[in-house]
Amino acid sequence: MLGSLPTPDASMVLEPGVPVDVRLTLGVLQRGRADPTVQSRPEGVWLCFRVPVTGDPVTMLVRPAPSALVPGPVPVLAWGPGAEAAVADAHRLLGLDDDWSAFDALLALHSAEATEATEATGAAGTVGAAGVPQAVVQARRANPGLRLPATGRMVDQLLTVVLEQKVTHDQARSGWRWLVRGFGDAAPAPAPPAMLLPPTANAVRRIPSWAWHAGWVQPAQSRAMLRVSERASALERLAGLPVGVAAETLTAVPGIGAWTAAETVQRTHGAPDTVAVGDYHLAHHVGEALTGRRTDDAGMLRLLESWAGHRQRVVRLIGLSGVRFSRFGPRLAPADHRRR
């Protein structure tokens, strides 16, 4: 026994040599606090999934390093038929193939340029495309353990992202809980209570057309999810292709646009340069963070040009920077017709 847990079927202690913030890194995979497949708990981050290709189920626990600010050991424990394969791929899951050194050098250069510009003009607070606000610089310094995870699980990620297309946060989270609780499977012990495996592609294909309404899932979303499940085997193979090829291939699937493809490969490939265009808020936030003014997708991409190769890293840090963004108008409160 390991504490109160049974002996894992496979385990490993990773020694990454760089800081790794386990909760922050894997947090982008959790769809809300009640996500049945990913849970951050006091003992670490639990994940329930199937290993790509074989489909073997696994329950994994990733324990945080003693500090998220300095290098330290990261224990990984797994149970179930897919345990050995999952542990062997844990370094990719935690983004340990994600090298931030070139970005950090570029960040130092841009930060110095911004400082020089401020000193020359006497203006502080906003910077141009070549620089970054001090809040973003501080976000990197405060979060040296941020990595970009690469799950390699194309269909699982596509299903979660499709549920986020053109709906509110609450609708997306509700739809994912409904899908997993209604059509997922039991996870290998000792998965925490209420944690489950995501549904298989076959399970998604068998969902009756009328049942999607009960999950607050829009017709366009359910059609896209059925197309994903019908092409599951081919889509899973995209995990082995370069990120640009994978993203472009995804958009050939009806119902999968550039935004969905980008949000997917950010998590399956740990894509450091893939920015989601078409997001309702993202361009506004990037514009305000980098210039103090809202912008559109084209403007956002222009602002990020000098960060080529690292644009998604910048976006992640903007999200962690603490920059307050403008809010205009009332929040959308969509009608809930599930019981009608």
Side-chain angles (χ1 to χ4, degrees), residues 75-145:
V76 180
L77 301 79
W79 296 263
E84 289 191 9
V87 167
D89 204 41
H91 68 289
R92 292 186 66 250
L93 175 66
L94 285 166
L96 299 184
D97 293 336
D98 177 32
D99 185 1
W100 283 68
S101 59
F103 171 80
D104 287 335
L106 191 61
L107 181 65
L109 174 63
H110 285 356
S111 180
E113 291 175 350
T115 300
E116 291 176 3
T118 297
E119 291 174 349
T121 63
T126 62
V127 295
V132 289
Q134 190 62 23
V136 176
V137 176
Q138 284 299 114
R140 175 58 180 155
R141 292 174 180 168
N143 299 282

Side-chain angles (χ1 to χ4, degrees), residues 38-198:
V38 182
Q39 286 278 312
S40 181
R41 294 172 176 249
E43 64 273 20
V45 178
W46 291 89
L47 305 98
C48 300
F49 57 91
R50 291 181 178 81
V51 174
V53 182
T54 66
D56 291 332
V58 60
T59 292
M60 175 181 281
L61 171 62
V62 183
R63 294 187 183 276
S67 171
L69 303 178
V70 297
V74 178
V76 180
L77 301 79
W79 296 263
E84 289 191 9
V87 167
D89 204 41
H91 68 289
R92 292 186 66 250
L93 175 66
L94 285 166
L96 299 184
D97 293 336
D98 177 32
D99 185 1
W100 283 68
S101 59
F103 171 80
D104 287 335
L106 191 61
L107 181 65
L109 174 63
H110 285 356
S111 180
E113 291 175 350
T115 300
E116 291 176 3
T118 297
E119 291 174 349
T121 63
T126 62
V127 295
V132 289
Q134 190 62 23
V136 176
V137 176
Q138 284 299 114
R140 175 58 180 155
R141 292 174 180 168
N143 299 282
L146 173 64
R147 321 297 300 177
L148 302 182
T151 69
R153 301 192 300 275
M154 301 297 300
V155 171
D156 283 358
Q157 293 304 316
L158 278 166
L159 294 179
T160 63
V161 176
V162 166
L163 285 171
E164 296 170 350
Q165 292 176 340
K166 299 180 180 180
V167 298
T168 66
H169 178 279
D170 289 346
Q171 283 177 280
R173 301 301 184 252
S174 174
W176 179 238
R177 292 193 300 270
W178 168 83
L179 183 68
V180 177
R181 291 171 180 170
F183 305 96
D185 296 311
M195 289 199 71
L196 298 162
L197 297 167

